Amino acid sequence: MGVGKVAVGALQPVGCLPGLTAQNSFQHCNGTYNDFVKLHNTLLRQAVAELNSKSNDSGAFIVLDFYGSFTKVLDHKDSNAKFRNLLTPCCTPTQTLYSCGSVDANGEKMYTVCDNPKATFFWDRFHPTQSGWRAVFSGLKSEFETS
């Protein structure tokens, strides 16, 4: 089909998503969830290695290490990322039944947004901000430049 490489994304440290760290006031990641993610990513790498061994091009499939790249930022090991309150989302719903962007019947916002989204890693309970993604992809880029 003319595709040179197929990139498969490994899972990020799901236990660090604000939706799971909210229960401990956004202070630390949930290790149990991250252990399951590590197992998943190990099995994914094994499956990709098997695909490559059966392929005509031994490097046709690559794994993007989102876990490592996210962890580098979240552990403050990425000097390019200067985030405050890494696990705290910028946008938070006013009540658990709402999400970012929710409005009530009168059009009132049912969420609050932080003053400086560029200084936060997570936008909401699940998604990084643009600055967060930039830091993650910067880590991925450096991984490919060194390999």
Side-chain angles (χ1 to χ4, degrees):
M1 294 176 66
V3 175
K5 291 208 182 280
V6 175
V8 181
L11 290 176
Q12 76 272 28
V14 172
C16 298
L17 294 175
L20 291 172
T21 63
Q23 59 198 359
N24 62 49
S25 302
F26 308 106
Q27 296 303 305
H28 54 85
C29 300
N30 183 311
T32 303
Y33 278 89
N34 285 345
D35 287 343
F36 284 122
V37 169
K38 288 176 191 175
L39 174 61
H40 169 274
N41 288 343
T42 297
L43 296 173
L44 176 67
R45 281 186 195 85
Q46 290 171 356
V48 167
E50 186 175 335
L51 278 172
N52 279 328
S53 72
K54 294 178 180 178
S55 170
N56 292 338
D57 179 358
S58 64
F61 299 92
I62 59 171
V63 176
L64 297 177
D65 185 13
F66 283 114
Y67 192 96
S69 192
F70 268 76
T71 301
K72 216 162 114 178
V73 176
L74 295 173
D75 287 348
H76 310 283
K77 293 176 187 165
D78 184 347
S79 60
N80 296 321
K82 297 185 176 45
F83 299 108
R84 293 177 287 155
N85 306 320
L86 277 161
L87 302 177
T88 304
C90 177
C91 184
T92 54
T94 57
Q95 297 176 27
T96 56
L97 59 116
Y98 296 111
S99 61
C100 291
S102 294
V103 293
D104 66 11
N106 299 320
E108 284 290 316
K109 293 179 184 177
M110 301 308 292
Y111 60 93
T112 59
V113 176
C114 67
D115 293 333
N116 187 3
K118 290 181 181 179
T120 61
F121 183 76
F122 284 106
W123 169 249
D124 60 12
R125 292 181 276 192
F126 308 103
H127 306 97
T129 59
Q130 286 181 326
S131 299
W133 276 119
R134 191 172 290 112
V136 167
F137 279 103
S138 173
L140 287 173
K141 182 180 173 191
S142 66
E143 176 185 327
F144 286 103
E145 288 173 345
T146 59
S147 60

